[in-house]
Amino acid sequence: MRTQNVIIEEALLLRQKAEKLLKIKQTKTGLPFSEADTLKLIHELQVHEIELELTNEELLLANKKINDLAKEKYKELYDFAPSGYLTLSHEGEIIELNFVAADLLGKERSPLICKRFDSFVSANTRSTFNLFLQDIYSSNKKISCEVILNKEGNRPICVNIDGVADKVNDFYLLTLIDISERKQAELDLL
């Protein structure tokens, strides 16, 4: 497949060649091109224009294919990352989450969409979490907090949450890491 730049260069060369032939013919004969020569040049330019259009379509399709592949790879990386990833609306509803985040909440992923995340945060740490969201939104930097999640069917787990606000799209991007074992080790040392 030829690149668009190569085709554009070929079109320019063809145009220069046509202009050069026109000058030579006019210089030698003092007469303009014959109607047949003019039609031949017009035909060549039209063919080349069609080639450019087809190549442009090929490039657009290739670009779409690359973008789709990149999105698919990103989705795989997101879904199977070792940390939990959540996107929350400004109101605290779950917009998107990966498998680890769903596992940390003790549920399947799809039923969690549109649920309020703070409903999974223990009553003891809910105020910490709400203050955390306010701090994220008022600052332009990454902020962290530790909260306890009530995991359905299991004992609560302690998680570290790192978050940033996307003010353009009005949502929060959070990363969750289970630190229950570390917290237990700290308690054991005490």
Side-chain angles (χ1 to χ4, degrees):
M1 181 174 85
R2 297 182 300 171
T3 66
Q4 192 169 8
N5 289 340
V6 170
I7 293 173
I8 290 171
E9 287 177 22
E10 289 176 358
L12 289 173
L13 289 174
L14 184 63
R15 180 176 296 262
Q16 290 170 352
K17 180 180 173 184
E19 289 173 354
K20 187 177 179 181
L21 285 174
L22 182 61
K23 285 179 184 177
I24 291 171
K25 178 132 182 147
Q26 287 177 338
T27 309
K28 285 184 180 177
T29 62
L31 300 173
F33 265 140
S34 70
E35 190 174 326
D37 290 339
T38 305
L39 290 174
K40 182 179 175 187
L41 282 175
I42 289 173
H43 177 73
E44 285 182 34
L45 288 172
Q46 288 172 336
V47 168
H48 207 64
E49 181 181 5
I50 292 169
E51 287 177 352
L52 283 172
E53 289 173 3
L54 290 174
T55 302
N56 190 40
E57 287 177 21
E58 286 177 17
L59 288 170
L60 290 173
L61 286 173
N63 191 26
K64 183 184 180 325
K65 190 175 183 178
I66 288 170
N67 285 336
D68 290 347
L69 184 61
K71 285 178 186 175
E72 185 179 315
K73 290 294 181 190
Y74 165 77
K75 184 86 171 123
E76 284 179 24
L77 286 171
Y78 178 83
D79 284 344
F80 299 106
S83 300
Y85 292 117
L86 284 166
T87 303
L88 301 182
S89 70
H90 187 67
E91 293 75 32
E93 293 178 344
I94 299 170
I95 297 171
E96 187 176 25
L97 74 163
N98 69 353
F99 290 119
V100 172
D103 186 53
L104 289 171
L105 299 175
K107 294 195 175 252
E108 292 292 318
R109 187 161 71 163
S110 57
L112 291 168
I113 304 297
C114 296
K115 300 280 188 213
R116 289 191 55 85
F117 179 75
D118 63 359
S119 67
F120 297 98
V121 177
S122 73
N124 297 343
T125 59
R126 193 168 293 141
S127 62
T128 302
F129 178 72
N130 290 332
L131 183 60
F132 164 73
L133 287 182
Q134 289 173 6
D135 289 346
I136 288 174
Y137 203 75
S138 64
S139 72
N140 287 329
K141 58 184 177 179
K142 182 175 85 168
I143 298 177
S144 299
C145 78
E146 291 181 6
V147 297
I148 297 173
L149 297 179
N150 296 318
K151 188 173 180 178
E152 192 172 290
N154 294 317
R155 57 181 241 187
I157 60 170
C158 189
V159 295
N160 182 71
I161 303 176
D162 291 324
V164 294
D166 180 339
K167 292 182 182 178
V168 173
N169 296 305
D170 203 27
F171 55 69
Y172 302 103
L173 302 169
L174 307 180
T175 303
L176 285 68
I177 299 174
D178 184 350
I179 57 170
S180 300
E181 288 181 18
R182 187 185 88 196
K183 284 294 188 184
Q184 187 60 49
E186 288 174 5
L187 288 174
D188 291 345
L189 285 174
L190 292 174

